[in-house]
Amino acid sequence: MEKTFSHRRLEIVEQRPMIGEFKNRWPALFQQSEVNAEFLRLTTKPLQSKFMAQLDHFSDKLIQILKSKGGVKGQRIKAVLAIKDSCDDIDTKRECILKSLVIYLNEDPDSFFKEYLDSAAEDAERDIKVMGIYTIRRDGNEKPEDVGIVIEGIKVLNNFGSVIMGFIMLFGLIYALDLSFPDNHTFEFFQKIIMNLDGHKLNTKIQQLKIKLFA
C-alpha cells in the first residue's frame, strides 16, 4: 500500500469515486491497520495511539466540564455518564465521554450513532445514508456484538470491539478517502483539539471548550 499511495491518492482527489467502487478497487485499504498507516502517510501523526492517549489525558477534565452543563442537556449528559460509573470498562468510559460531548455541543448522538438489536443488523446500511457508526447489541447486553462504519449506505469496516474504535477509524477514513467532515462541532473538536490538526481557526463553541479544557 505504501508503493501505491501516490496513485491511490491521485485517483481519490481527481476522480472522486463512489465509496463502493473505490472499496472494490482498493479492498486492502479498508482494514484497521491500513487506515492507521494511511493516516500516518497523510498527516505524519499516529491515528489510534495519539487519539486514545489524548482522549484519556483530557478525560477527567472533560467529565468535569460535561457535568457542569445545566438544563435538559445537562440531565441527558448525566444519564449517559451514569453508564460509565456502573462499569470499569475503559472503552465504555470513552464511549460515554464521546456521546456526552456530542450532547454538550448541542448535537444529537442518535443521528450519528445508531444502535440495533442483533435481529435488525441489516438495517444499518439502509438507515445510514451519508456516514455513521452502528452498534449491534444483544437485548440487555452492554458489550456490543459488533460495531461498524457505514459510508454512503455501504458497510466499509466492522468487527470493532468498541464504539470509540469505530469513531477513530471513521475519523481516519475521512482523511484516507478525502471526505468532508460532517457539519458538526464534535469532529472539529477531535480534529483540532485532540489530534491537533488544522487548529489555527476554531469555531466559537470549540474555542470556548478549549479555554475550559486548558484552564
Side-chain angles (χ1 to χ4, degrees), residues 24-80:
N24 288 335
R25 283 180 50 75
W26 300 95
L29 179 61
F30 294 84
Q31 302 175 40
Q32 187 170 326
S33 60
E34 285 301 331
V35 173
N36 275 302
E38 196 85 341
F39 188 86
L40 185 63
R41 293 180 194 113
L42 289 164
T43 69
T44 71
K45 294 178 185 289
L47 172 61
Q48 189 173 323
S49 59
K50 182 176 177 63
F51 196 108
M52 289 291 201
Q54 285 289 90
L55 180 58
D56 291 345
H57 173 72
F58 288 117
S59 62
D60 288 344
K61 191 62 181 284
L62 273 171
I63 290 170
Q64 179 185 337
I65 294 168
L66 293 167
K67 285 183 173 180
S68 70
K69 186 78 169 179
V72 175
K73 288 185 173 60
Q75 293 302 313
R76 287 186 68 193
I77 288 171
K78 288 179 176 65
V80 173

Side-chain angles (χ1 to χ4, degrees), residues 119-172:
S119 59
E122 67 279 358
D123 291 345
E125 289 182 276
R126 182 195 66 198
D127 294 344
I128 301 173
K129 303 299 184 186
V130 181
M131 67 175 67
I133 295 165
Y134 71 84
T135 305
I136 310 297
R137 300 186 198 271
R138 289 190 182 275
D139 194 15
N141 191 349
E142 284 299 327
K143 292 295 290 183
E145 285 277 306
D146 184 27
V147 177
I149 298 168
V150 173
I151 301 175
E152 294 178 2
I154 295 171
K155 181 165 61 178
V156 294
L157 272 172
N158 67 319
N159 292 325
F160 300 120
S162 65
V163 170
I164 195 67
M165 185 56 67
F167 186 83
I168 291 170
M169 288 299 109
L170 176 57
F171 187 94

Side-chain angles (χ1 to χ4, degrees), residues 181-197:
F181 277 104
D183 187 20
N184 64 37
H185 302 307
T186 303
F187 276 91
E188 182 181 356
F189 172 80
F190 283 100
Q191 178 191 28
K192 297 181 178 180
I193 306 302
I194 295 298
M195 295 301 292
N196 195 26
L197 292 163

